[in-house]
Amino acid sequence: MSNQELEQQLLSLDLAERIRILQLLAQSLTVPSSQSSQTTDELDLISDNFVKLRQRTPEHPLRKIPLTIPPDFDEPMPELWDALGQ
């Protein structure tokens, strides 16, 4: 099988399956296969948690800051219009 065919097959998989394959590849690079202790169920659990983590909305710390609008924010500014006219 050529690399292009393999790539096409990988891209046709759904996200959870691709994540599982990535985890298996990463694990094979870091842990010798004879020492691999994670079962398929453990990998599925990790994959599901990763998908849930990616679906979580990002934190928005600025939303916690109160917005203060000065009472004169919508008053006319003739000096600005005069400066624009020059």
Side-chain angles (χ1 to χ4, degrees):
M1 177 181 299
S2 71
N3 287 342
Q4 289 178 340
E5 292 171 335
L6 181 59
E7 183 179 342
Q8 288 175 352
Q9 284 188 355
L10 288 172
L11 292 175
S12 68
L13 299 174
D14 70 337
L15 179 63
E17 291 172 334
R18 284 187 272 166
I19 290 170
R20 184 163 181 256
I21 289 172
L22 280 173
Q23 289 170 336
L24 289 170
L25 287 172
Q27 183 181 13
S28 72
L29 294 173
T30 57
V31 178
S33 59
S34 62
Q35 296 177 0
S36 177
S37 63
Q38 287 186 324
T39 65
T40 304
D41 292 337
E42 289 172 332
L43 289 174
D44 287 341
L45 180 61
I46 292 170
S47 176
D48 291 343
N49 287 338
F50 184 75
V51 170
K52 288 176 187 174
L53 181 64
R54 292 216 18 165
Q55 291 173 347
R56 189 177 63 154
T57 57
E59 299 247 347
H60 300 284
L62 295 179
R63 289 185 179 176
K64 297 174 186 172
I65 298 174
L67 182 62
T68 309
I69 301 173
D72 62 344
F73 84 96
D74 63 345
E75 291 183 7
M77 298 178 68
E79 63 277 359
L80 177 64
W81 290 108
D82 290 341
L84 287 172
Q86 296 175 357

